[in-house]
Amino acid sequence: MANGAPVCGPISTFSRVRILHALFESGTAQIRGTRTIGELCEATGLHPNTVREHLQRLIEGGYVIQATEHRTTRGRPRTLYSAATGTGDASSPIARDKAKAAAQRGDLLRRMLPATASALGRDATYQLDALIEHLEESGFEPVVDDEQLTVDLTPCPHAAGRAEDRPMLCSVHLGLMQGVLAEAGGPLAAEAVRASGLPEECPPLECTVQLRLTEMTAA
């Protein structure tokens, strides 16, 4: 990453990436879309205390939702965890508040620098505000192209990581960006992460996020 700044946010460690990946891929859990601590430990190989610590950080960031199991039989209800996807029961109040705060900061910036305004409309602009703050929190330096609907994330702060870990990392980060855009509400969705290059190459790994307008907006 530029200037040697540390990578932070929801994907600051590969342990968190593995936990988030297990939540995004939780179709085999006992209750679809959710995982227990035990299931996450089994999926990641991490100690329960480590999983709990990372989950708490992810909940505080608005990326994971915690709920209590509704039981119809006797027994202590379990605590269930799911990824905040921004839709239905998987919407995080923390993530919504972060999106509103990002929009307010974006409006302030646009009043001072009118040239920074997007031509995509208010709702899409607020989505980009939330997405940019999420990316900056995650250690990226995003450059948005309103016309091509792309976000350039080069240089990627994760370029020096193991090549075999990159597919999971990109998949998780795409899911996080989709959740951020959904929580903000609007016509934009994250469609794909395009990455190329090798960790030892210079310049570092090239990384671009492709956005798209929903069919409803296009119509």
Side-chain angles (χ1 to χ4, degrees):
M1 181 182 172
N3 301 324
V7 179
C8 50
I11 53 175
S12 57
T13 71
F14 198 66
S15 292
R16 290 186 191 176
V17 171
R18 283 188 288 172
I19 290 171
L20 286 166
H21 185 259
L23 292 175
F24 281 124
E25 302 293 325
S26 58
T28 58
Q30 292 183 21
I31 300 178
R32 184 171 180 81
T34 64
R35 294 269 189 176
T36 64
I37 291 288
E39 289 171 334
L40 288 170
C41 291
E42 183 178 354
T44 63
L46 298 171
H47 189 276
N49 289 341
T50 302
V51 171
R52 289 189 182 93
E53 181 180 349
H54 286 307
L55 282 173
Q56 186 59 39
R57 298 287 186 178
L58 292 169
I59 291 169
E60 292 171 354
Y63 301 107
V64 168
I65 299 169
Q66 174 182 310
T68 301
E69 178 185 29
H70 297 288
R71 295 183 67 97
T72 57
T73 59
R74 295 180 63 181
R76 184 177 180 179
R78 301 175 301 173
T79 301
L80 304 175
Y81 301 89
S82 59
T85 60
T87 58
D89 293 337
S91 179
S92 165
I94 296 174
R96 292 196 301 272
D97 288 344
K98 289 174 67 175
K100 291 177 182 178
Q104 292 171 352
R105 286 186 286 268
D107 280 340
L108 179 60
L109 175 63
R110 285 181 285 274
R111 284 196 292 270
M112 294 187 297
L113 301 171
T116 62
S118 170
L120 293 173
R122 187 191 67 175
D123 290 346
T125 296
Y126 287 163
Q127 283 183 291
L128 290 176
D129 290 337
L131 180 62
I132 289 171
E133 289 205 1
H134 160 70
L135 292 170
E136 290 176 341
E137 176 189 349
S138 300
F140 294 91
E141 300 174 359
V143 177
V144 178
D145 186 326
D146 290 1
E147 295 184 358
Q148 298 298 320
L149 292 180
T150 59
V151 183
D152 185 0
L153 301 181
T154 307
C156 175
H158 304 280
R162 299 191 307 171
E164 58 267 33
D165 294 337
R166 199 172 296 151
M168 181 185 296
L169 176 63
C170 291
S171 174
V172 166
H173 199 204
L174 177 61
L176 289 170
M177 288 185 287
Q178 290 169 337
V180 168
L181 291 171
E183 292 285 8
L188 290 176
E191 187 172 64
V193 176
R194 301 196 304 268
S196 61
L198 297 172
E200 64 271 15
E201 289 184 340
C202 186
L205 177 70
E206 295 180 0
C207 183
T208 303
V209 179
Q210 182 65 56
L211 306 176
R212 65 176 174 83
L213 291 169
T214 63
E215 293 182 2
M216 182 180 298
T217 301

